[in-house]
Amino acid sequence: MIKKGTRFYTPDTLSELKEIIYKEQEVKLLAGGTSLFRKINGDTLVLPGVIILLENIPELTKENRTERYFEFGSMITIQNIIDNCKRNFAPVLIDALEKNAPFPVRNISTIGAAIANNDIKSDLLPLFYVFNVKVEVINLRDKKIKARWESLTQYLSTQDNRGLHLITRVRIPLINPAYYQYFKTGFKYNLFNEISFAAIADLEKGNISSLSMAFNINNKKIIRTKDIDAELIGKHIPIGLKSREALIQTFNDNLNRIEGLEDYQKFQMIQIILHFLEAF
């Protein structure tokens, strides 16, 4: 049963979307709807007073490719990206998209919602971080539509305080690192994973020349390991036993400075990093 009283809008343009926003106070923007379905309690789905469906806005379904990156309208589905970009993206990116959810969910879940959903942080976010994904955002309460590009760090760090907004495009660089890994705990397609991890790296003459790693803890907390990354850059692969012991202490010291991490989570994170280093 769905409770009555909810009003639905299906704007055809961003300008029409803005007009609806001016008329209504509290609204819910709906892309694929997967986040809303997760809130079903028994046989009742409690809906917000006003829902705006974004599926008819053509600006949100456009694609563009340059020599350096792909740009996707935020309403493009995860499955659409998999189908159209297997030859263009690094295998680790396609693999992560395929592992994110079963086909029926990938076929309706959108790239924009995977980033914008603040209730459950997607397992894709660590991978988007290490690939330096950027988002184009508009503030829907502003008088004029003024889009701006932001890094993922900038967007997520200000997400809670920016008011009603919309991701219009997502830009994914066309990079293919020599070494990469995407990993998450738990069962396949598990909604709540304890840890998901992504890393990309390159070597030069046996030394780590570039490295970027990120974690998602319990689908609630995204952790960038920039200090650990910096510590590892320049290290020779394979890492010897003595260096390994010193690095474990360094990893632990860095993770101890992050609030909210349990000891078992720190241990898991260290083991995951070591496993990635051994896979070079």
Side-chain angles (χ1 to χ4, degrees):
M1 180 184 72
I2 298 178
K3 289 188 175 181
K4 297 181 179 179
T6 297
R7 297 188 300 281
F8 290 86
Y9 292 93
T10 55
D12 294 318
T13 65
L14 287 176
S15 296
E16 189 178 337
L17 171 62
K18 291 278 292 181
E19 292 176 5
I20 297 169
I21 298 297
Y22 280 130
K23 290 192 301 184
E24 302 288 356
Q25 292 298 316
E26 294 189 12
V27 302
K28 172 72 174 179
L29 302 178
L30 200 64
T34 54
S35 62
L36 189 62
F37 298 149
R38 289 169 179 168
K39 297 180 180 180
I40 294 177
N41 183 11
D43 61 352
T44 300
L45 175 59
V46 180
L47 298 175
V50 176
I51 289 180
I52 301 177
L53 305 174
L54 302 173
E55 59 188 2
N56 290 343
I57 301 177
E59 294 96 324
L60 304 183
T61 57
K62 292 181 179 179
E63 298 181 27
N64 178 48
R65 180 187 174 181
T66 72
E67 292 182 356
R68 298 170 54 194
Y69 53 77
F70 253 111
E71 282 181 359
F72 299 100
S74 58
M75 281 293 295
I76 291 178
T77 67
I78 299 298
Q79 187 59 45
N80 184 276
I81 295 174
I82 293 171
D83 292 339
N84 295 339
C85 300
K86 281 189 175 181
R87 296 182 180 180
N88 303 111
F89 284 143
V92 64
L93 185 54
I94 297 298
D95 180 59
L97 294 175
E98 291 179 331
K99 288 180 177 178
N100 182 247
F103 175 81
V105 177
R106 297 198 306 263
N107 210 32
I108 60 173
S109 61
T110 63
I111 185 70
I115 297 172
N117 186 0
N118 202 22
D119 294 331
I120 301 174
K121 296 191 180 298
S122 171
D123 288 315
L124 294 174
L125 287 178
L127 197 72
F128 289 166
Y129 264 115
V130 300
F131 271 83
N132 196 28
V133 166
K134 297 184 183 298
V135 295
E136 183 188 59
V137 186
I138 60 173
N139 189 329
L140 293 173
R141 297 295 186 190
D142 289 346
K143 292 183 179 180
K144 293 184 179 180
I145 296 176
K146 187 177 181 180
R148 57 176 291 177
W149 284 99
E150 300 181 5
S151 68
L152 204 57
T153 300
Q154 183 179 4
Y155 171 73
L156 291 178
S157 64
T158 59
Q159 183 180 18
D160 293 335
N161 302 318
R162 65 170 65 238
L164 187 62
H165 64 279
L166 175 66
I167 293 177
T168 50
R169 287 186 290 176
V170 178
R171 180 182 292 173
I172 304 179
L174 290 168
I175 59 176
N176 195 4
Y179 301 91
Y180 46 77
Q181 191 172 93
Y182 175 75
F183 168 84
K184 60 180 182 179
T185 61
F187 298 104
K188 188 176 183 180
Y189 306 144
N190 187 14
L191 177 58
F192 295 100
N193 294 290
E194 287 187 354
I195 293 179
S196 56
F197 167 78
I200 60 175
D202 284 297
L203 291 183
E204 185 175 337
K205 296 181 179 179
N207 299 320
I208 300 175
S209 57
S210 66
L211 174 66
S212 182
M213 300 186 293
F215 290 88
N216 183 351
I217 308 298
N218 291 333
N219 294 108
K220 295 178 180 179
K221 188 180 184 68
I222 306 297
I223 295 176
R224 297 295 310 277
T225 58
K226 290 186 176 181
D227 291 339
I228 294 176
D229 297 352
E231 183 71 28
L232 288 170
I233 289 176
K235 291 288 189 294
H236 187 76
I237 297 295
I239 294 176
L241 182 60
K242 290 185 178 180
S243 297
R244 177 189 173 104
E245 293 174 353
L247 283 175
I248 290 175
Q249 184 60 52
T250 299
F251 297 164
N252 195 60
D253 292 342
N254 277 280
L255 295 178
N256 282 336
R257 293 197 287 266
I258 300 175
E259 295 183 2
L261 281 180
E262 302 289 342
D263 287 342
Y264 78 92
Q265 292 171 333
K266 298 173 193 174
F267 175 80
Q268 284 181 305
M269 293 169 72
I270 290 172
Q271 295 306 308
I272 289 171
I273 294 173
L274 291 174
H275 176 72
F276 174 62
L277 294 176
E278 291 170 355
F280 276 70

